[in-house]
Amino acid sequence: MARTPLISGNWKMNLNHFEAIQLVQKLSYELRGHDFDQVEVSLHPPFTDLRSIQTIIDADRMPFRLGAQNCHTEVSGAFTGEISPAMLAKLDVDYVIVGHSERRALFGESDEDVASKASAVFAHEMTPIVCVGETLEERESNQAATVVETQLMGSLKLITNQQLGNAVIAYEPVWAIGTGVTASADDAQEMCAHIRRVVASIHKDASELVRIQYGGSVKPSNSGELMNMPDIDGALVGGASLESDSFARIVNFKEA
Ligand code: 13P
């Protein structure tokens, strides 16, 4: 079954709204002529940049999807410092990253939290990108597959089978994030195939539809090989998404 690849740029806590506008304009220039029916592209800036980017995407009819990096579960209320999924939906956000390993490790998010967020994102007609991935210690002690399975079962438990098929899962091994060390295409494929089998154990049809991204030091030099793997349907890119040239080359992996 053909799944449209999704390449997402997670800018993390980088770029103010002026810098963000510049990057998006450069990217749009470099990707002119790109067939966005073949590869979908989402941009996940910090919250403070969302409105500026939404405005230029809309005004210049740019073919990018807008994304966020996190959200709260409630629509509104006394949650100082949080951003609600309803607010994101109002800004035409399509994709929300939930359970990124940095949120899990630095801000104490559990699988339960991630499950509530994924469900809240769907409730507001957006799509969650649910992140999972093992640490180096877990990989070296042969626990990677079990850790990822546990994260998946916990993080996907509040969504319906139909939502499951529409979700995006990002496999991001923690040891590959921001380290320059990429998982080999074979290792990434093996884990993404495992993820698809875990999804099939919940709902067979959903496993053929769900898109699975790989993330962790994706660069122009390795994106083609990763994306050619049968169970890898896209990439979640950190550092290399902050430069228009490298991100455009990753998006154009077919021509690389
Ligand atoms: P890097 O591409 O910088 O390794 O980051 C990956 C990541 O965490 C994307 O969410």
Side-chain angles (χ1 to χ4, degrees):
M1 178 169 308
R3 294 179 291 265
T4 308
L6 172 66
I7 303 210
S8 306
N10 174 11
W11 297 0
K12 308 192 178 182
M13 197 174 72
N14 294 291
L15 309 182
N16 64 42
H17 70 289
F18 292 116
E19 295 162 336
I21 290 170
Q22 254 186 5
L23 175 58
V24 175
Q25 282 171 334
K26 277 197 205 161
L27 200 57
S28 156
Y29 182 76
E30 293 196 24
L31 286 172
R32 65 199 183 283
H34 176 80
D35 185 353
F36 287 89
D37 289 335
Q38 298 292 317
V39 180
E40 216 184 335
V41 175
S42 68
L43 304 175
H44 301 251
F47 289 132
T48 50
D49 300 351
L50 281 174
R51 174 66 176 147
S52 307
I53 298 187
Q54 180 216 9
T55 307
I56 58 164
I57 284 181
D58 190 39
D60 295 349
R61 297 204 162 89
M62 291 176 180
F64 304 129
R65 306 259 185 220
L66 193 54
Q69 301 174 15
N70 180 31
C71 71
H72 196 263
T73 52
E74 299 296 322
V75 174
S76 62
F79 301 102
T80 301
E82 292 294 319
I83 302 290
S84 98
M87 295 168 179
L88 297 177
K90 204 74 183 163
L91 285 166
D92 299 337
V93 164
D94 280 315
Y95 292 100
V96 184
I97 298 170
V98 295
H100 190 279
S101 67
E102 286 150 19
R103 302 254 11 129
R104 291 175 185 265
L106 305 173
F107 302 97
E109 282 187 18
S110 63
D111 290 335
E112 301 265 296
D113 298 327
V114 180
S116 305
K117 289 183 180 198
S119 166
V121 167
F122 270 127
H124 291 86
E125 287 167 14
M126 301 177 291
T127 301
I129 298 179
V130 180
C131 301
V132 294
E134 80 286 358
T135 62
L136 185 58
E137 203 183 6
E138 289 160 345
R139 173 155 286 255
E140 285 176 345
S141 56
N142 283 327
Q143 294 171 56
T146 320
V147 165
V148 166
E149 180 165 352
T150 306
Q151 288 175 336
L152 285 170
M153 296 309 278
S155 305
L156 300 174
K157 69 178 178 200
L158 297 180
I159 60 177
T160 65
N161 288 341
Q162 200 194 344
Q163 289 170 335
L164 183 58
N166 290 325
V168 179
I169 295 169
Y171 168 54
E172 295 207 304
V174 176
W175 46 271
I177 296 178
T179 58
V181 181
T182 317
S184 71
D186 286 337
D187 283 349
Q189 160 60 25
E190 192 181 322
M191 188 62 87
C192 291
H194 172 62
I195 290 172
R196 206 175 296 286
R197 283 192 297 272
V198 174
V199 172
S201 75
I202 306 171
H203 189 66
K204 177 87 185 71
D205 292 352
S207 73
E208 283 158 32
L209 295 169
V210 69
R211 287 182 292 176
I212 305 175
Q213 296 177 312
Y214 166 80
S217 298
V218 174
K219 315 176 245 260
S221 57
N222 58 30
S223 59
E225 197 189 358
L226 288 160
M227 299 285 298
N228 278 334
M229 290 292 165
D231 287 297
I232 301 182
D233 310 311
L236 183 52
V237 187
S241 72
L242 297 172
E243 294 277 337
S244 60
D245 173 60
S246 53
F247 192 58
R249 280 160 60 212
I250 291 171
V251 171
N252 276 326
F253 67 93
K254 287 195 172 143
E255 278 135 56

Short mmCIF file of all heavy atoms in Angstrom, two decimals, residues 8-12 97 100-102 129 131 170 172-182 213-219 235-242 250, ligand 1:
data_model
loop_
_atom_site.label_atom_id
_atom_site.label_comp_id
_atom_site.label_asym_id
_atom_site.label_seq_id
_atom_site.Cartn_x
_atom_site.Cartn_y
_atom_site.Cartn_z
N SER A 8 9.62 15.83 8.26
CA SER A 8 9.29 16.89 9.23
C SER A 8 10.56 17.52 9.78
O SER A 8 11.50 16.82 10.12
CB SER A 8 8.50 16.28 10.39
OG SER A 8 7.37 15.58 9.90
N GLY A 9 10.52 18.84 9.85
CA GLY A 9 11.65 19.57 10.45
C GLY A 9 11.28 19.99 11.86
O GLY A 9 10.38 20.81 12.05
N ASN A 10 11.98 19.40 12.84
CA ASN A 10 11.75 19.77 14.25
C ASN A 10 12.84 20.77 14.62
O ASN A 10 13.99 20.40 14.82
CB ASN A 10 11.84 18.51 15.12
CG ASN A 10 11.75 18.84 16.60
OD1 ASN A 10 11.43 19.98 16.98
ND2 ASN A 10 12.05 17.86 17.45
N TRP A 11 12.45 22.03 14.71
CA TRP A 11 13.44 23.08 14.95
C TRP A 11 13.86 23.16 16.42
O TRP A 11 14.77 23.89 16.76
CB TRP A 11 12.89 24.44 14.53
CG TRP A 11 12.57 24.56 13.07
CD1 TRP A 11 12.72 23.60 12.10
CD2 TRP A 11 12.06 25.71 12.40
NE1 TRP A 11 12.34 24.08 10.88
CE2 TRP A 11 11.92 25.38 11.03
CE3 TRP A 11 11.70 27.00 12.81
CZ2 TRP A 11 11.44 26.27 10.09
CZ3 TRP A 11 11.22 27.90 11.87
CH2 TRP A 11 11.09 27.53 10.53
N LYS A 12 13.15 22.44 17.28
CA LYS A 12 13.41 22.48 18.74
C LYS A 12 13.41 23.95 19.20
O LYS A 12 12.65 24.74 18.66
CB LYS A 12 14.72 21.74 19.05
CG LYS A 12 14.72 20.33 18.43
CD LYS A 12 15.80 19.43 18.91
CE LYS A 12 15.65 18.06 18.23
NZ LYS A 12 16.63 17.09 18.68
N ILE A 97 4.03 17.04 17.34
CA ILE A 97 4.94 16.03 17.88
C ILE A 97 4.55 15.79 19.34
O ILE A 97 4.37 16.75 20.10
CB ILE A 97 6.40 16.52 17.81
CG1 ILE A 97 6.83 16.76 16.35
CG2 ILE A 97 7.35 15.55 18.50
CD1 ILE A 97 8.18 17.48 16.20
N HIS A 100 8.32 13.47 22.38
CA HIS A 100 9.72 13.51 21.92
C HIS A 100 10.62 13.08 23.08
O HIS A 100 10.32 13.37 24.24
CB HIS A 100 10.08 14.92 21.44
CG HIS A 100 11.41 14.97 20.75
ND1 HIS A 100 12.59 15.01 21.45
CD2 HIS A 100 11.73 14.93 19.43
CE1 HIS A 100 13.60 15.00 20.58
NE2 HIS A 100 13.10 14.96 19.35
N SER A 101 11.72 12.42 22.76
CA SER A 101 12.58 11.90 23.85
C SER A 101 13.10 13.01 24.75
O SER A 101 13.35 12.78 25.93
CB SER A 101 13.74 11.09 23.28
OG SER A 101 14.61 11.94 22.58
N GLU A 102 13.25 14.23 24.19
CA GLU A 102 13.68 15.34 25.05
C GLU A 102 12.59 15.70 26.05
O GLU A 102 12.85 16.06 27.19
CB GLU A 102 14.09 16.55 24.18
CG GLU A 102 15.43 16.29 23.51
CD GLU A 102 15.63 16.97 22.16
OE1 GLU A 102 14.91 17.93 21.85
OE2 GLU A 102 16.52 16.51 21.41
N ILE A 129 2.43 13.13 15.91
CA ILE A 129 3.63 12.37 15.55
C ILE A 129 4.15 11.83 16.88
O ILE A 129 4.68 12.58 17.71
CB ILE A 129 4.69 13.28 14.86
CG1 ILE A 129 4.13 13.85 13.55
CG2 ILE A 129 5.98 12.49 14.62
CD1 ILE A 129 5.09 14.78 12.79
N CYS A 131 6.46 9.94 19.29
CA CYS A 131 7.88 9.54 19.27
C CYS A 131 8.17 8.41 20.25
O CYS A 131 7.70 8.44 21.40
CB CYS A 131 8.77 10.72 19.62
SG CYS A 131 8.59 12.11 18.51
N ALA A 170 7.18 8.20 15.14
CA ALA A 170 8.58 8.50 14.82
C ALA A 170 9.47 7.63 15.68
O ALA A 170 9.39 7.68 16.91
CB ALA A 170 8.89 9.97 15.05
N GLU A 172 12.88 7.31 17.03
CA GLU A 172 14.07 8.12 17.23
C GLU A 172 14.93 7.50 18.32
O GLU A 172 14.69 7.75 19.52
CB GLU A 172 13.70 9.54 17.64
CG GLU A 172 12.94 10.32 16.59
CD GLU A 172 13.16 11.82 16.74
OE1 GLU A 172 12.89 12.37 17.81
OE2 GLU A 172 13.60 12.43 15.76
N PRO A 173 15.93 6.69 17.94
CA PRO A 173 16.80 6.15 18.98
C PRO A 173 17.54 7.30 19.68
O PRO A 173 18.11 8.15 19.00
CB PRO A 173 17.77 5.25 18.20
CG PRO A 173 17.65 5.61 16.76
CD PRO A 173 16.32 6.30 16.59
N VAL A 174 17.48 7.32 21.00
CA VAL A 174 18.01 8.47 21.75
C VAL A 174 19.50 8.69 21.46
O VAL A 174 19.97 9.82 21.34
CB VAL A 174 17.76 8.26 23.27
CG1 VAL A 174 18.38 9.38 24.09
CG2 VAL A 174 16.27 8.17 23.55
N TRP A 175 20.25 7.60 21.26
CA TRP A 175 21.69 7.70 21.03
C TRP A 175 22.02 8.30 19.67
O TRP A 175 23.16 8.66 19.40
CB TRP A 175 22.34 6.31 21.16
CG TRP A 175 21.59 5.22 20.44
CD1 TRP A 175 20.59 4.45 20.94
CD2 TRP A 175 21.77 4.82 19.07
NE1 TRP A 175 20.12 3.59 19.97
CE2 TRP A 175 20.85 3.78 18.82
CE3 TRP A 175 22.63 5.21 18.05
CZ2 TRP A 175 20.74 3.16 17.59
CZ3 TRP A 175 22.53 4.58 16.81
CH2 TRP A 175 21.58 3.57 16.60
N ALA A 176 21.03 8.43 18.79
CA ALA A 176 21.29 8.97 17.45
C ALA A 176 20.87 10.44 17.36
O ALA A 176 21.13 11.11 16.35
CB ALA A 176 20.54 8.15 16.40
N ILE A 177 20.21 10.97 18.41
CA ILE A 177 19.67 12.33 18.32
C ILE A 177 20.76 13.35 18.64
O ILE A 177 21.33 13.34 19.73
CB ILE A 177 18.48 12.50 19.29
CG1 ILE A 177 17.34 11.58 18.85
CG2 ILE A 177 18.04 13.95 19.34
CD1 ILE A 177 16.12 11.63 19.76
N GLY A 178 21.04 14.19 17.66
CA GLY A 178 22.00 15.28 17.87
C GLY A 178 23.43 14.82 18.06
O GLY A 178 24.28 15.59 18.49
N THR A 179 23.72 13.56 17.76
CA THR A 179 25.06 13.03 18.00
C THR A 179 25.86 12.90 16.73
O THR A 179 27.07 12.67 16.79
CB THR A 179 24.97 11.62 18.62
OG1 THR A 179 24.21 10.79 17.72
CG2 THR A 179 24.29 11.63 19.98
N GLY A 180 25.20 13.00 15.59
CA GLY A 180 25.90 12.77 14.32
C GLY A 180 25.97 11.28 13.99
O GLY A 180 26.34 10.89 12.89
N VAL A 181 25.61 10.43 14.96
CA VAL A 181 25.62 8.98 14.73
C VAL A 181 24.21 8.58 14.27
O VAL A 181 23.26 8.69 15.05
CB VAL A 181 25.94 8.21 16.03
CG1 VAL A 181 25.97 6.70 15.77
CG2 VAL A 181 27.24 8.69 16.62
N THR A 182 24.09 8.12 13.04
CA THR A 182 22.78 7.72 12.54
C THR A 182 22.66 6.20 12.68
O THR A 182 23.66 5.49 12.56
CB THR A 182 22.68 8.05 11.03
OG1 THR A 182 23.23 9.35 10.82
CG2 THR A 182 21.25 8.04 10.55
N GLN A 213 8.21 7.30 10.78
CA GLN A 213 9.39 8.09 10.42
C GLN A 213 10.60 7.58 11.19
O GLN A 213 10.47 7.05 12.29
CB GLN A 213 9.20 9.56 10.83
CG GLN A 213 8.08 10.29 10.13
CD GLN A 213 7.93 11.72 10.65
OE1 GLN A 213 7.92 11.94 11.86
NE2 GLN A 213 7.81 12.67 9.75
N TYR A 214 11.77 7.81 10.61
CA TYR A 214 13.00 7.61 11.36
C TYR A 214 13.56 8.99 11.71
O TYR A 214 13.50 9.91 10.87
CB TYR A 214 14.06 6.82 10.54
CG TYR A 214 15.41 6.93 11.22
CD1 TYR A 214 15.71 6.13 12.31
CD2 TYR A 214 16.34 7.91 10.83
CE1 TYR A 214 16.91 6.27 12.99
CE2 TYR A 214 17.54 8.06 11.51
CZ TYR A 214 17.82 7.25 12.59
OH TYR A 214 19.00 7.42 13.28
N GLY A 215 14.09 9.14 12.91
CA GLY A 215 14.74 10.39 13.29
C GLY A 215 16.00 10.11 14.08
O GLY A 215 16.07 9.13 14.84
N GLY A 216 16.98 10.99 13.93
CA GLY A 216 18.25 10.83 14.64
C GLY A 216 19.40 11.02 13.67
O GLY A 216 19.75 10.11 12.93
N SER A 217 19.93 12.27 13.63
CA SER A 217 21.06 12.60 12.75
C SER A 217 20.79 12.29 11.27
O SER A 217 21.66 11.81 10.56
CB SER A 217 22.34 11.91 13.23
OG SER A 217 22.67 12.38 14.53
N VAL A 218 19.55 12.57 10.83
CA VAL A 218 19.26 12.44 9.39
C VAL A 218 19.94 13.61 8.67
O VAL A 218 19.87 14.75 9.11
CB VAL A 218 17.74 12.46 9.11
CG1 VAL A 218 17.47 12.47 7.61
CG2 VAL A 218 17.06 11.27 9.76
N LYS A 219 20.63 13.28 7.59
CA LYS A 219 21.38 14.28 6.81
C LYS A 219 21.11 14.01 5.33
O LYS A 219 20.63 12.92 4.98
CB LYS A 219 22.89 14.12 7.02
CG LYS A 219 23.34 13.91 8.45
CD LYS A 219 24.85 13.67 8.52
CE LYS A 219 25.18 12.29 9.01
NZ LYS A 219 25.56 12.08 10.34
N ALA A 235 10.99 11.10 7.60
CA ALA A 235 12.07 11.42 8.52
C ALA A 235 11.65 12.55 9.44
O ALA A 235 10.89 13.45 9.03
CB ALA A 235 13.31 11.83 7.73
N LEU A 236 12.13 12.49 10.68
CA LEU A 236 11.94 13.60 11.63
C LEU A 236 13.35 14.16 11.83
O LEU A 236 14.22 13.49 12.40
CB LEU A 236 11.33 13.08 12.94
CG LEU A 236 11.00 14.11 14.02
CD1 LEU A 236 10.16 15.26 13.50
CD2 LEU A 236 10.25 13.43 15.18
N VAL A 237 13.53 15.38 11.32
CA VAL A 237 14.88 15.93 11.20
C VAL A 237 15.07 17.07 12.19
O VAL A 237 14.25 17.99 12.25
CB VAL A 237 15.09 16.48 9.76
CG1 VAL A 237 16.54 16.91 9.55
CG2 VAL A 237 14.68 15.45 8.72
N GLY A 238 16.14 17.03 12.97
CA GLY A 238 16.44 18.11 13.91
C GLY A 238 17.42 19.08 13.28
O GLY A 238 17.05 19.91 12.45
N GLY A 239 18.69 18.97 13.66
CA GLY A 239 19.73 19.92 13.24
C GLY A 239 19.72 20.26 11.76
O GLY A 239 19.80 21.45 11.39
N ALA A 240 19.60 19.26 10.91
CA ALA A 240 19.68 19.51 9.46
C ALA A 240 18.45 20.23 8.92
O ALA A 240 18.43 20.63 7.74
CB ALA A 240 19.92 18.20 8.71
N SER A 241 17.42 20.43 9.75
CA SER A 241 16.25 21.17 9.26
C SER A 241 16.38 22.68 9.50
O SER A 241 15.54 23.46 9.10
CB SER A 241 14.95 20.66 9.92
OG SER A 241 14.88 21.04 11.27
N LEU A 242 17.48 23.07 10.16
CA LEU A 242 17.67 24.50 10.46
C LEU A 242 18.37 25.24 9.33
O LEU A 242 18.52 26.46 9.38
CB LEU A 242 18.49 24.65 11.76
CG LEU A 242 17.81 24.10 13.02
CD1 LEU A 242 18.77 24.13 14.20
CD2 LEU A 242 16.54 24.90 13.34
N ILE A 250 17.29 16.89 1.84
CA ILE A 250 16.66 15.72 2.47
C ILE A 250 15.27 15.50 1.86
O ILE A 250 14.89 14.37 1.54
CB ILE A 250 16.59 15.91 4.01
CG1 ILE A 250 18.01 15.86 4.60
CG2 ILE A 250 15.69 14.87 4.66
CD1 ILE A 250 18.11 16.25 6.06
P1 13P B 1 18.86 15.51 15.00
O1 13P B 1 18.41 15.37 13.57
O2 13P B 1 19.49 16.84 15.30
O3 13P B 1 19.68 14.35 15.43
O4 13P B 1 17.53 15.49 15.91
C1 13P B 1 16.61 14.48 15.73
C2 13P B 1 15.38 14.82 16.47
O5 13P B 1 15.34 14.80 17.68
C3 13P B 1 14.20 15.23 15.69
O6 13P B 1 13.07 15.26 16.48
#
